[in-house]
Amino acid sequence: MTSDTPENNSLDPEDWDSFRAQAHTLLDACLDHLQHARDQPWQPVPQPVRDSYALPDTGTGTDTASLVAALRDTMLPYATGNTHPRFFGWVHGSGMAEGVLAEMVAATMNSNCGGRDHGMVYVERAVIDWTRRQMGFPDTASGVLVAGTSQATVIALGTARLRALGAGVRQTGNQDRRLIAYAGAGVHSATSKAIELLGIGNANLRLLPETGEGLDVEALRDQIARDRAQGGLPFALIGTAGSVNFGRYDNLNALADVAAAEQIWLHVDGAFGAWTRLADAPWRALSDGIGRADSIACDFHKWMYVPYDCGLVLIRNEAEHRAAFAARPSYLAPLGEGLAGGDPWYCDYGTDLSRGNRALKVWTAIRAHGAQNLGAAITANCRAAARMGALIEATPRLALAVPVVSNVVVFTADDTLDAAAQSDLNIYLAQKLQMTGEVVFSTTLADMPSGSGITCLRAAITNHRTAPDDIVRAIAAVADFRPSGPA
Ligand SMILES: *Cc1c(COP(=O)(O)O)cnc(C)c1O
């Protein structure tokens, strides 16, 4: 400590009254942003704004008024744009106003949710229990909130590996056992990454052919038999509820039958599609059978509209879950009461010791809207996708690449062109429509009846702000922005 540094060097505001006044203006700016989300599409970040983000190496910081101005004027306008009602790219949740309240309280409390005895671990338990019931898991199941489905998949498959190799895997690693996992060809890259991280190697993730009803169960049975005959150790079957490319659903009951007969772990990647559990018919049935899985990964930050980031892994067998991840050195030893009580600690269910408060924003969303209204929003998104699909089919030269199953729509802007020209046009349109702020589609590769391997436009509707007219406007924009005449 240098001589001119006071010993009482608190970083709290010196003048709380002025800080409070500034904070109130910022809260208003945040709420204005959401209230007028329709006027706030994504926009590129101008170079001077980017330059303004650079941080000085030295100095004593800035006053609250300048700080608040920077947050309001140089940060808020340059978001990903997924709060806008015509943002349909990738699979992005649209966030909710209650999230602002929950995050404000969570930041104030600054709880460490790795464990110990305090309110937020009970809130997390309430969130896990609620989801467990929606998914049809037993009350003995365990779970932990994580950054997203990617992390949830690592935890789920890590637990599956422990079942296959025994608790000794934590000491010895995989040794020479050739673990093999199975999934449909459309499985998300998160599964491949998890397999890699667990030292299994993605060559041991068998990608099976898919039909309209998801992965081909006959091909799966045959592949498992071949792998066993060659000394492999089939350990996990990954079912997909809502594939990221086309929104397809595996037949989870059929997969559960195979997993039971073959004695292998069934994990369901339900990042967004698991939430069809809350939707009306016919969409709810897409995730039938999910409750028979050994583990489920799902996200609150996509189709539950909760602000980023928040996913969940649910594990049917708590003992296996804990056996795979529990690690409590003496400084973390549990005590009967006091702060070190509150067992179980969430650090024993995953990779993180220190953990932020992800539970409160989920709890707030569910408390604010209830399963019924959240489900109604999900159903409305499925209806919007169906409407988008119908409009595409009714518009000259637009064509669907695959049937619309739930909330994902993949299409080409002009099926009269050759394959390369269609790809070029779709890529052009995706960028043009984003740059104008009109609508955000992303792109993906699909086989069209008119030609294979076409880069198509893709919408994943997980947006509670999307009104019926937004769908009409989005498809009209695609048609209108097409260059007229031959390409
Ligand atoms: C988004 C997604 C993932 C990855 O989840 P993150 O929350 O982004 O980590 C995995 N699977 C599917 C089907 C997804 O849509």
Side-chain angles (χ1 to χ4, degrees):
M1 193 174 288
T2 59
S3 54
D4 58 353
T5 303
E7 226 169 288
N8 180 1
N9 195 24
S10 169
L11 299 174
D12 278 337
E14 270 172 36
D15 179 348
W16 275 101
D17 285 343
S18 113
F19 188 87
R20 183 185 303 268
Q22 292 294 337
H24 285 164
T25 67
L26 187 60
L27 177 60
D28 274 335
C30 290
L31 297 179
D32 283 347
H33 189 86
L34 285 180
Q35 185 180 357
H36 304 292
R38 189 165 282 284
D39 308 323
Q40 315 272 352
W42 172 85
Q43 55 177 322
V45 190
Q47 193 59 48
V49 174
R50 287 195 223 183
D51 293 343
S52 76
Y53 295 161
L55 293 164
D57 293 339
T58 56
T60 54
T62 189
D63 62 284
T64 307
S66 323
L67 189 65
V68 163
L71 292 169
R72 186 191 56 220
D73 302 334
T74 72
M75 305 290 173
L76 261 184
Y78 302 106
T80 322
N82 42 322
T83 52
H84 187 268
R86 285 188 305 284
F87 187 106
F88 306 130
W90 304 277
V91 187
H92 276 41
S94 42
M96 289 187 292
E98 290 81 8
V100 177
L101 305 182
E103 293 286 68
M104 183 173 71
V105 172
T108 303
M109 295 174 77
N110 193 28
S111 298
N112 182 342
C113 297
R116 304 170 190 83
D117 194 346
H118 55 95
M120 296 306 101
V121 300
Y122 298 108
V123 168
E124 182 155 349
R125 188 66 235 180
V127 164
I128 292 167
D129 277 337
W130 182 88
T131 310
R132 172 183 70 62
R133 293 193 299 272
Q134 302 297 342
M135 297 296 152
F137 260 34
D139 61 8
T140 48
S142 49
V144 63
L145 295 176
V146 291
T149 289
S150 302
Q151 198 185 348
T153 307
V154 174
I155 294 170
L157 296 183
T159 310
R161 179 179 65 163
L162 181 116
R163 179 189 284 179
L165 297 184
V169 68
R170 292 186 63 173
Q171 284 77 48
T172 63
N174 301 337
Q175 294 190 299
D176 56 357
R177 307 299 300 276
R178 198 155 61 82
L179 293 164
I180 302 182
Y182 303 83
V187 72
H188 193 275
S189 53
T191 287
S192 184
K193 253 194 214 181
I195 295 281
E196 294 160 20
L197 284 169
L198 291 165
I200 294 164
N202 67 28
N204 294 313
L205 172 61
R206 301 274 186 256
L207 296 177
L208 298 154
E210 287 176 354
T211 67
E213 276 98 64
L215 81 85
D216 181 334
V217 174
E218 278 314 304
L220 168 66
R221 282 208 195 84
D222 292 349
Q223 186 65 52
I224 292 173
R226 270 200 300 281
D227 287 331
R228 285 200 202 281
Q230 288 166 13
L233 180 55
F235 87 108
L237 168 58
I238 295 96
T240 295
S243 71
V244 70
N245 251 350
F246 303 123
R248 284 189 183 132
Y249 290 70
D250 287 332
N251 180 335
L252 300 178
N253 274 310
L255 298 195
D257 290 342
V258 174
E262 298 285 348
Q263 301 259 304
I264 58 179
W265 184 283
L266 175 61
H267 171 69
V268 174
D269 178 346
F272 62 95
W275 297 110
T276 51
R277 287 332 276 157
L278 301 185
D280 293 347
W283 297 287
R284 183 178 202 271
L286 292 168
S287 51
D288 279 358
I290 197 168
R292 294 174 63 192
D294 293 291
S295 57
I296 300 171
C298 59
D299 281 326
F300 292 99
H301 58 216
K302 288 178 175 172
W303 221 359
M304 284 287 278
Y305 318 106
V306 168
Y308 284 92
D309 56 21
C310 191
L312 170 68
V313 59
L314 280 176
I315 307 270
R316 172 179 296 279
N317 185 324
E318 191 272 345
E320 288 175 322
H321 189 183
R322 195 190 274 245
F325 290 96
R328 298 279 284 278
S330 62
Y331 89 100
L332 296 173
L335 303 180
E337 19 174 49
L339 255 171
D343 226 30
W345 285 21
Y346 286 104
C347 62
D348 285 336
Y349 292 129
T351 53
D352 297 332
L353 174 56
S354 301
R355 300 176 62 247
N357 184 350
R358 294 193 176 103
L360 189 58
K361 58 192 174 187
V362 183
W363 185 93
T364 303
I366 297 167
R367 255 302 164 94
H369 300 287
Q372 200 169 324
N373 287 334
L374 291 167
I378 292 166
T379 300
N381 287 158
C382 293
R383 286 195 210 288
R387 188 176 304 115
M388 185 181 277
L391 276 173
I392 288 165
E393 296 199 300
T395 306
R397 296 186 283 147
L398 294 191
L400 286 173
V402 290
V404 179
V405 180
S406 58
N407 63 325
V408 179
V409 184
V410 182
F411 66 105
T412 185
D414 191 342
D415 70 345
T416 64
L417 304 176
D418 68 34
Q422 283 190 58
S423 293
D424 289 348
L425 174 62
N426 292 330
I427 290 167
Y428 162 80
L429 284 171
Q431 296 175 100
K432 189 80 185 164
L433 293 167
Q434 289 171 17
M435 294 300 287
T436 57
E438 183 59 24
V439 48
V440 173
F441 292 107
S442 53
T443 58
T444 198
L445 201 59
D447 289 336
M448 296 288 300
S450 57
S452 62
I454 291 175
T455 300
C456 287
L457 293 166
R458 176 181 162 286
I461 307 178
T462 48
N463 191 328
H464 65 91
R465 295 191 184 94
T466 304
D469 188 53
D470 287 308
I471 300 297
V472 175
R473 195 165 153 183
I475 295 307
V478 173
D480 293 349
F481 275 75
R482 281 181 308 202
S484 49

